[in-house]
Amino acid sequence: SQQGEEDPQALSIQEGENATMNCSYKTSINNLQWYRQNSGRGLVHLILIRSNEREKHSGRLRVTLDTSKKSSSLLITASRAADTASYFCATDVQGAQKLVFGQGTRLTINP
Amino acid sequence: GAVVSQHPSRVICKSGTSVKIECRSLDFQATTMFWYRQFPKQSLMLMATSNEGSKATYEQGVEKDKFLINHASLTLSTLTVTSAHPEDSSFYICSALGQGPLNYGYTFGSGTRLTVV
């Protein structure tokens, strides 16, 4: 089962620009996580934000969480060609002990 | 940090045969493991949740007789795709939920690409 939507489904920007991806979900959560996946490869965990947090930073990544709107955003600043990948949000569903993924955003960074 | 080993990374099998995929937590105990399936250019779909020593809980629409899950120990879960068909070709990923004071959280294996010919 899918938790929600991510938008945009695909995003293409120039190297050096910032990339913003959004995620919406449907249920109460313990936390929300963002992952990166290069084509045909496994998942790389990027960042986790707990339900009582509103913003978190890690290097060039900034994540926000609005539990009232059931939405999150991932901002990648100063993008690099190596950031080209698919990005997924995943919600740790409260009371269910499972991680449910959004539909993902395919990000392309053009050199 | 926590490591989950998934094997094999790639497998090709003939239609009608069965394939087993293993998922091991190498340095922590995982009372709960999860199996996901991912079709090309799509997201990860949760197939089932397995708890050590008990029957797996399958998500709606997933055939439990076709996708057999065994979680016999705290470090090993297996997914067997029975009577595989070309439409079962997909990327299968396991995840283990660590328990204990270090609270590893969800750790993912590197995935298995299954091709049924």
Side-chain angles (χ1 to χ4, degrees):
Chain A
S1 60
Q2 290 299 117
Q3 171 68 291
E5 305 272 331
E6 281 188 61
D7 78 271
Q9 290 188 359
L11 178 62
S12 181
I13 60 174
Q14 293 301 120
E15 196 167 21
E17 295 179 340
N18 296 340
T20 299
M21 290 159 271
N22 302 294
C23 165
S24 63
Y25 57 93
K26 298 176 182 175
T27 66
S28 296
I29 62 172
N30 296 315
N31 61 68
L32 186 145
Q33 304 175 34
W34 285 90
Y35 289 84
R36 184 183 73 218
Q37 184 182 39
N38 290 83
S39 181
R41 307 287 291 275
L43 296 172
V44 175
H45 183 263
L46 296 176
I47 195 166
L48 180 153
I49 186 166
R50 301 188 190 285
S51 61
N52 61 353
E53 297 176 310
R54 293 296 166 257
E55 187 171 314
K56 203 162 184 180
H57 297 253
S58 176
R60 293 184 296 113
L61 306 180
R62 172 178 166 248
V63 169
T64 63
L65 178 65
D66 187 336
T67 52
S68 66
K69 295 181 180 178
K70 289 186 165 57
S71 67
S72 174
S73 69
L74 170 67
L75 168 67
I76 303 175
T77 61
S79 63
R80 306 167 181 169
D83 294 329
T84 295
S86 290
Y87 291 81
F88 297 94
C89 68
T91 48
D92 187 347
V93 179
Q94 197 173 80
Q97 198 175 61
K98 61 182 178 181
L99 205 57
V100 179
F101 284 78
Q103 295 177 348
T105 295
R106 291 191 305 278
L107 176 64
T108 302
I109 308 298
N110 302 302
Chain B
V3 177
V4 170
S5 173
Q6 188 173 339
H7 178 81
S9 58
R10 290 177 179 271
V11 59
I12 301 173
C13 72
K14 291 184 177 180
S15 188
T17 62
S18 296
V19 173
K20 181 183 284 188
I21 303 169
E22 291 189 349
C23 180
R24 292 181 184 272
S25 56
L26 297 186
D27 47 5
F28 67 99
Q29 293 185 336
T31 54
T32 307
M33 288 188 173
F34 307 86
W35 288 95
Y36 293 83
R37 180 169 54 183
Q38 184 181 33
F39 291 108
K41 296 187 178 181
Q42 294 188 24
S43 185
L44 283 76
M45 296 291 293
L46 181 63
M47 299 174 67
T49 301
S50 73
N51 291 292
E52 184 263 340
S54 63
K55 291 184 178 180
T57 302
Y58 290 81
E59 295 295 307
Q60 193 173 6
V62 178
E63 301 173 59
K64 61 181 180 181
D65 294 329
K66 180 168 184 61
F67 299 99
L68 300 179
I69 292 172
N70 185 282
H71 192 162
S73 77
L74 286 172
T75 59
L76 174 65
S77 177
T78 60
L79 168 68
T80 302
V81 183
T82 63
S83 187
H85 291 283
E87 56 265 32
D88 297 324
S89 298
S90 188
F91 192 55
Y92 293 86
I93 305 176
C94 71
S95 173
L97 182 60
Q99 299 293 330
L102 294 180
N103 190 20
Y104 291 119
Y106 297 89
T107 303
F108 285 83
S110 55
T112 297
R113 181 150 319 273
L114 170 63
T115 303
V116 184
V117 298

